[in-house]
């Protein structure tokens, strides 16, 4: 059969798209009744006269789907829902059968590991879960230290779900109050975390200093009279905070908005953002650079390291970016800051090895050699903001495990900006509920435990492991 419009033989598992702007025809594959959104980036057209450059028309179509109403973000084997026909299945088992015959822990096993457990595996799983229900006594003290509730005026559960979406003066003022609190306390909490780590008493935020100078004061003040942080370091940290304040819809900002779409309070949104940024693929990038440089050891080892990178034996951290296909514009700014910080007299006099630091020399050699190597330049692998920021933080004396905190403090501003924009958007807030492509089991019937055949599998992820208990 030939399609009279396209001239292609069918039926076929693809979509034929004709761009009426250019007359070009595109073939978009269909798999599991799903098309890939990235395939639409291939559909490009010249910008129209007067069109906004930000439309990026020449770079391909974007797919808009407010609230993820019809966007699948993952292939999943876990849960299948057919809303039109009232069907809900866990791993292929109808919810009606599980509710009638199963237990919560057995269903938990099913959802996590993919099959109903044998009695042996269920006994392991149940014992481990119940054994781990006891909390450390210190956790009791932590819970007792919390007040009965937090700011009542910030809690939608107490003040109504439209607390932050009404857009009247009172609502806007209340929203601003929470924003002030979060930004103001971000440096205080970060400094407190640092002081606890160092075994030092907390320092009350001073008056008369800039945001970053106050932050440095709270971390470094040891009782000296008239102590003032280095102006060079305060300015460097200020610029670093500017560079890290926002970066569009990155992982943590998306997490904040995903959480905020349920109309929860902004503090919970910030906590969700912190959890996302804490992941090594997001907030751990500059720490990875330092660990890479430590593993290289000395400047003379850089050539061998780069060769191992080309062979895919080692990973080059701090170069390239998922978004920037040429160079990271922040890297040029941060390189200038790095030069100033490494020469700062306050650091040199404090004993921090900056200008003579072996790690810094290794970084400089790595940077220069990579930027002259056709292998890396042809792949547009230029230093990004993380390459230099980790070195700067290290030179300033921050421990590596504190780097994500230094990322969070400025990024709360970006998170709050996105959250506020969502709360005030025309048409209200629609909860984010993305789709999935279900590729798991089709309908199957519940089998009582004593009648199950234990499925032998080579996949360790398909069964629970008993844990050694040492007290």
């Amino acid at each position: 059969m030939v399609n009279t419009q396209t001239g292609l033989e069918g039926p076929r598992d693809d979509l034929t798209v004709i761009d009426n702007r250019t007359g070009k025809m595109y073939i978009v594959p269909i798999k599991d009744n799903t098309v890939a959104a990235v395939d639409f980036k291939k559909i490009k057209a010249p910008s129209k006269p007067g069109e906004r450059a930000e439309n990026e028309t020449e770079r391909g179509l974007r797919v808009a789907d407010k609230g993820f109403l019809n966007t699948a973000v993952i292939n999943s084997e876990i849960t299948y829902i057919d809303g039109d026909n009232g069907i809900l299945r866990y791993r292929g088992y109808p919810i009606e059968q599980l509710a009638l015959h199963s237990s919560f822990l057995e269903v938990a096993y099913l959802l996590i590991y993919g099959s109903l457990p044998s009695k042996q595996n269920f006994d392991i799983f149940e014992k481990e879960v119940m054994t781990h229900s006891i909390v450390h006594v210190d956790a009791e003290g932590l819970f007792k230290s919390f007040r009965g509730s937090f700011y009542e005026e910030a809690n939608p559960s107490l003040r109504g779900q439209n607390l932050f979406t009404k857009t009247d003066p009172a609502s806007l003022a209340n929203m601003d109050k929470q924003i002030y609190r979060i930004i103001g306390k971000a440096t205080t909490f970060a400094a407190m975390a640092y002081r606890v780590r160092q075994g030092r008493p907390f320092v009350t935020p001073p008056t008369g200093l800039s945001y970053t100078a106050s932050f440095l004061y709270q971390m470094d003040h040891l009782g000296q009279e008239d102590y003032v942080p280095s102006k060079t370091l305060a300015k460097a940290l200020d610029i670093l905070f500017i560079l890290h304040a926002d970066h569009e819809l990155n992982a943590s900002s998306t997490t904040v908005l995903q959480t905020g779409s349920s109309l929860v309070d902004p503090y919970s949104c910030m906590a969700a953002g912190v959890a996302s940024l804490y992941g090594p693929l997001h907030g751990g990038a500059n720490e990875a650079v330092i660990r890479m440089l430590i593993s290289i050891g000395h400047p003379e080892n850089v050539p061998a390291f780069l060769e191992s990178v080309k062979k895919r034996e080692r990973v080059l951290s701090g170069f390239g970016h998922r978004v920037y296909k040429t160079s990271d514009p922040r890297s040029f700014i941060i390189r200038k800051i790095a030069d100033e910080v490494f020469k700062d007299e306050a650091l040199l006099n404090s004993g921090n090895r900056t200008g003579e630091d072996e790690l810094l020399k290794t970084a400089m050699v790595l940077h220069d050699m990579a930027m002259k190597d056709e292998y890396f330049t042809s792949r547009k692998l230029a230093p990004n903001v993380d390459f230099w920021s980790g070195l700067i933080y290290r030179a300033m004396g921050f421990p590596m495990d504190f780097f994500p905190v230094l990322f969070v403090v400025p990024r709360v501003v970006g998170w709050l900006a996105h959250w506020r924009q969502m709360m005030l958007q025309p048409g209200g807030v629609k909860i984010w509920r993305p789709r999935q492509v279900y590729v798991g089991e089709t309908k199957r019937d519940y089998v009582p435990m004593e009648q199950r055949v234990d499925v032998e599998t080579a996949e360790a992820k398909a069964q629970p492991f008993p844990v050694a208990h040492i007290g």
Side-chain angles (χ1 to χ4, degrees):
M1 181 178 69
V2 177
N3 187 308
T4 56
Q5 289 183 306
T6 64
L8 301 173
E9 291 189 5
R12 299 154 49 104
D13 283 331
D14 55 39
L15 193 69
T16 302
V17 179
I18 298 177
D19 187 348
N20 292 324
R21 299 171 302 175
T22 62
K24 292 182 179 179
M25 184 173 70
Y26 300 85
I27 305 298
V28 179
I30 299 174
K31 182 179 180 182
D32 294 323
N33 192 39
T34 305
V35 296
V38 292
D39 285 336
F40 287 88
K41 282 184 66 69
K42 302 173 185 176
I43 303 176
K44 305 175 182 180
S47 298
K48 294 181 291 186
E51 184 178 6
R52 288 164 44 85
E54 290 80 1
N55 286 352
E56 300 178 356
T57 305
E58 297 177 355
R59 300 180 189 175
L61 278 179
R62 294 171 293 194
V63 179
D65 186 8
K66 183 180 178 181
F68 295 128
L69 297 183
N70 193 38
T71 297
V73 297
I74 195 170
N75 287 353
S76 177
E77 301 176 355
I78 299 173
T79 299
Y80 172 72
I81 297 175
D82 180 349
D84 292 339
N85 295 299
I87 294 173
L88 171 59
R89 299 179 193 146
Y90 292 164
R91 299 284 190 177
Y93 293 100
I95 192 66
E96 296 84 359
Q97 293 186 26
L98 294 172
L100 184 63
H101 301 296
S102 191
S103 66
F104 172 72
L105 280 184
E106 186 178 65
V107 170
Y109 183 106
L110 168 67
L111 288 171
I112 293 168
Y113 298 109
S115 62
L116 289 170
S118 64
K119 187 176 187 310
Q120 178 184 0
N121 281 341
F122 182 72
D123 288 346
I124 292 172
F125 183 73
E126 182 181 41
K127 177 185 176 183
E128 294 293 348
V129 170
M130 300 310 295
T131 299
H132 284 85
S133 63
I134 301 170
V135 301
H136 196 286
V137 66
D138 288 351
E140 296 180 10
L142 180 66
F143 271 78
K144 289 176 182 177
S145 69
F146 284 110
R147 294 168 54 196
S149 64
F150 71 126
Y151 307 120
E152 181 179 322
E153 74 273 14
N155 192 340
S157 299
L158 300 176
R159 293 300 183 95
Q161 67 178 26
N162 65 345
L163 176 62
F164 297 112
T165 60
K166 287 188 290 188
T167 72
D168 60 29
S171 175
L172 292 172
N174 185 43
M175 178 184 286
D176 284 346
K177 188 175 184 179
Q178 313 319 316
I179 292 172
Y180 306 150
R181 282 171 166 163
I182 292 171
I183 298 175
K185 287 175 171 56
T187 50
T188 307
F189 284 137
M192 289 171 70
Y194 179 79
R195 302 281 292 200
V196 166
R197 190 185 190 281
Q198 302 298 103
R200 300 172 182 172
F202 299 146
V203 174
T204 302
T207 58
L209 295 180
S210 69
Y211 189 73
T212 51
S214 172
F215 183 34
L216 290 173
Y217 181 97
Q218 292 176 68
M219 286 187 289
D220 295 334
H221 183 243
L222 296 175
Q224 311 97 315
E225 290 187 17
D226 301 322
Y227 171 75
V228 179
S230 161
K231 291 183 179 179
T232 300
L233 300 189
K235 180 60 177 178
L237 196 59
D238 197 67
I239 297 174
L240 281 167
F241 277 12
I242 291 171
L243 298 180
H244 286 95
D246 189 45
H247 207 227
E248 203 206 42
L249 287 189
N250 50 77
S252 56
S253 296
T254 304
T255 302
V256 166
L257 293 179
Q258 178 83 53
T259 305
S261 74
S262 71
L263 296 183
V264 72
D265 62 89
Y267 300 92
S268 298
C269 294
M270 297 302 105
V274 169
S276 176
L277 189 142
Y278 179 63
L281 291 182
H282 189 7
N286 49 20
E287 180 181 346
V289 172
I290 301 299
R291 296 195 183 280
M292 173 192 69
L293 294 172
I294 292 173
S295 72
I296 294 173
H298 303 282
E300 56 266 26
N301 297 334
V302 169
F305 170 78
L306 291 177
E307 288 303 313
S308 66
V309 170
K310 296 175 186 179
K311 296 175 183 176
R312 299 185 182 276
E313 297 172 352
R314 304 283 295 275
V315 176
L316 180 64
S317 300
F319 282 71
H321 197 280
R322 181 171 175 177
V323 174
Y324 301 116
K325 303 308 179 187
T326 51
S327 60
D328 184 340
R330 300 170 298 176
S331 66
F332 302 109
I333 302 170
I334 206 168
R335 175 62 193 271
K336 288 185 63 178
I337 302 173
D339 290 338
E340 293 172 7
V341 168
F342 299 150
K343 298 173 184 176
D344 183 72
E345 289 187 9
L347 282 181
L348 292 170
N349 295 334
S350 70
N352 283 321
R353 301 182 306 277
T354 51
E356 300 300 321
D357 191 351
E358 189 81 358
L359 207 67
L360 177 58
K361 292 179 182 178
T362 302
M364 295 295 191
V365 172
L366 177 63
H367 171 272
D368 294 342
M369 290 190 66
M371 295 313 306
K372 295 175 183 176
D373 192 315
E374 192 272 339
Y375 178 90
F376 300 105
T377 56
S378 65
R379 289 167 172 77
K380 304 187 188 308
L381 293 176
N384 58 38
V385 68
D386 299 310
F387 185 80
W388 295 111
S389 62
L391 287 165
I392 295 173
Y393 290 146
R394 182 177 180 274
M396 293 175 73
F398 293 112
M400 282 194 293
D401 58 8
F402 198 71
F403 289 2
V405 181
L406 296 169
F407 196 164
V408 165
V409 170
R411 186 53 59 90
V412 296
V413 172
W415 293 343
L416 287 166
H418 287 288
W419 170 77
R420 185 178 188 275
Q421 177 178 259
M422 170 186 265
M423 293 301 105
L424 301 180
Q425 66 186 358
V429 178
K430 186 178 290 293
I431 192 168
W432 287 19
R433 209 310 190 174
R435 304 280 315 267
Q436 66 174 13
V437 178
Y438 182 72
V439 294
E441 298 283 348
T442 56
K443 182 183 177 182
R444 50 181 175 171
D445 294 323
Y446 182 88
V447 179
M449 187 176 290
E450 61 273 10
Q451 298 177 22
R452 293 173 197 161
V453 177
D454 200 10
V455 179
E456 295 292 334
T457 175
E459 292 188 79
K461 65 181 181 180
Q463 59 192 15
F465 284 90
V467 177
H469 297 273
I470 57 176

